[in-house]
Amino acid sequence: MGKLETVKWLWKNNKHGFITVVWAKVAKTGIFNNMADEKYLKLSYWMHMGKRLNLDNPVTYNEKLQWLKLYDRKPVYTMLVDKYEVRKHIKDVIGKEYLIPLLGVWENAEEIDFESLPEQFVVKCTHDSKSAIICKDKTCFSAEEARKKLRKALNRNLFYWSREWPYKDCKPRVIAEKYIEDSNGGLNDYKFFCFNGKADNVMVVAGRAIGDSKFYHFDKDWNILRYNRLGRSLPDGFKIPRPDNMDELFSVAEKLSEGLPEIRIDLYDVDGKIYFGEYTFFNESGYETGFDYESDKHLGDLIVLPE
């Protein structure tokens, strides 16, 4: 389904989804860049969630994430979300063996020498999300198209659209990393929801490759948790195997989350070898519509807001 078809479908079948898409497009033009953070977040929350944002007494997971955007602003957070600067932190806390090998770092897209990179690699900006470009085969790779996408990403600041403060002063750069995959030609991505150094659950995304993503949450013993509307139970005959090293994955996530009121730690598992993915302070930017109120409230209870 193309972009236009998606918009038409939303208008016909999901009016709130349509409003959210339009709001995101308008916000990304920069028209609200000078609006006060609190006022902007209240407006944005209404557009995304269809209800008022309670900042005086936040209760739910989504509400508390918005509160943390405004009031939990430690300088170290900027380093943690910077995909280049965070590498030293990972080396110091859990060891360099958890880092995906680095192939290069550049200040702008024109500096990148794609010819010197191996046949497979990943390039992405260090200061934002969703700018990654995966090259599996150089014969099908367009360096100019990659530069075009990276130029656009380097000139945007995620903070102004999301008000996620850690990104505000991130230095825009591009890094290249080794392309990784498991023996089956895939890559298992595990997202750990952590609260004050304890990993409550891990989210597994299934169906992404066929455009039908469902999000399944499991506890450490691999019991499915009823957090997400799209993945409350496994379909008949469908299995998501528990990795043999899941205990280690939970342990790594908890080490990396120490001292943080909440964080999502993303890790990769490649045939038993664990790699660090990224720190995500605000899952879905605090607009997680996949949770019903019961789940939103339960996860909110796990966040102890700092004074």
Side-chain angles (χ1 to χ4, degrees):
M1 187 183 292
K3 290 183 179 179
L4 181 58
E5 289 75 15
T6 300
V7 170
K8 288 180 178 178
W9 184 92
L10 285 170
W11 174 249
K12 182 178 179 180
N13 300 281
N14 184 348
K15 291 296 193 296
H16 183 254
F18 175 82
I19 292 171
T20 300
V21 170
V22 172
W23 164 256
K25 290 288 185 183
V26 173
K28 288 176 180 178
T29 66
I31 194 172
F32 301 117
N33 282 8
N34 293 324
M35 183 180 286
D37 293 344
E38 181 175 333
K39 183 177 180 180
Y40 177 86
L41 287 176
K42 287 181 176 179
L43 179 58
S44 185
Y45 194 82
W46 175 263
M47 291 296 184
H48 282 90
M49 308 299 289
K51 54 187 175 183
R52 293 181 182 275
L53 172 60
N54 182 354
L55 288 172
D56 294 326
N57 183 31
V59 172
T60 67
Y61 175 74
N62 284 305
E63 286 177 336
K64 287 188 175 182
L65 290 191
Q66 306 305 326
W67 190 96
L68 288 167
K69 287 181 184 181
L70 290 171
Y71 302 117
D72 186 30
R73 297 183 167 187
K74 295 182 176 64
V76 69
Y77 295 169
T78 297
M79 178 272 291
L80 294 178
V81 301
D82 187 310
K83 294 176 178 61
Y84 178 68
E85 297 294 338
V86 74
R87 294 177 65 88
K88 182 180 184 302
H89 174 75
I90 298 303
K91 179 181 176 182
D92 291 342
V93 175
I94 57 175
K96 64 181 180 180
E97 63 270 22
Y98 291 95
L99 290 169
I100 299 173
L102 185 70
L103 302 176
V105 56
W106 305 272
E107 303 247 340
N108 61 67
E110 278 61 47
E111 292 179 353
I112 305 171
D113 181 9
F114 286 106
E115 290 298 320
S116 66
L117 293 176
E119 289 303 304
Q120 296 182 319
F121 58 87
V122 176
V123 290
K124 56 188 174 184
C125 289
T126 60
H127 71 301
D128 72 346
S129 63
K130 300 180 180 178
S131 64
I133 300 170
I134 301 172
C135 175
K136 294 184 180 182
D137 181 356
K138 256 189 173 180
T139 62
C140 305
F141 179 78
S142 170
E144 188 49 47
E145 284 299 312
R147 286 195 175 92
K148 182 179 178 181
K149 179 178 179 179
L150 292 169
R151 282 189 210 107
K152 185 176 180 180
L154 285 167
N155 286 319
R156 66 176 176 236
N157 190 323
L158 180 63
F159 166 78
Y160 291 104
W161 171 76
S162 66
R163 291 308 200 267
E164 297 180 26
W165 180 83
Y167 290 102
K168 186 176 184 179
D169 296 319
C170 254
K171 182 178 180 179
R173 281 173 291 195
V174 178
I175 58 171
E177 293 179 334
K178 178 183 177 180
Y179 173 77
I180 58 174
E181 65 178 18
D182 60 28
S183 55
N184 296 317
L187 184 61
N188 293 317
D189 179 12
Y190 298 102
K191 303 176 185 298
F192 293 84
F193 286 63
C194 302
F195 305 91
N196 288 304
K198 296 295 181 182
D200 173 76
N201 70 89
V202 57
M203 184 175 75
V204 182
V205 185
R208 181 183 284 163
I210 59 175
D212 185 29
S213 296
K214 285 187 171 57
F215 306 89
Y216 298 97
H217 292 256
F218 297 89
D219 64 15
K220 194 172 185 179
D221 296 322
W222 216 240
N223 300 307
I224 192 165
L225 301 171
R226 296 173 60 81
Y227 287 163
N228 200 288
R229 292 192 187 101
L230 299 179
R232 288 204 152 200
S233 60
L234 295 176
D236 291 341
F238 181 74
K239 294 183 179 180
I240 298 179
R242 183 185 191 273
D244 292 336
N245 61 346
M246 184 50 70
D247 288 342
E248 183 185 359
L249 284 159
F250 264 89
S251 176
V252 169
E254 291 185 342
K255 286 179 182 177
L256 294 177
S257 66
E258 287 181 4
L260 301 173
E262 72 78 34
I263 195 72
R264 199 188 81 201
I265 302 292
D266 295 358
L267 302 173
Y268 299 109
D269 177 30
V270 181
D271 298 325
K273 169 70 173 173
I274 298 173
Y275 289 104
F276 169 76
E278 64 179 27
Y279 277 88
T280 300
F281 276 87
F282 307 99
N283 177 61
E284 291 298 311
S285 197
Y287 307 120
E288 176 55 89
T289 57
F291 295 153
D292 58 18
Y293 181 78
E294 180 185 39
S295 298
D296 202 5
K297 172 67 166 58
H298 170 73
L299 290 171
D301 289 342
L302 299 179
I303 300 178
V304 179
L305 295 177
E307 293 293 331

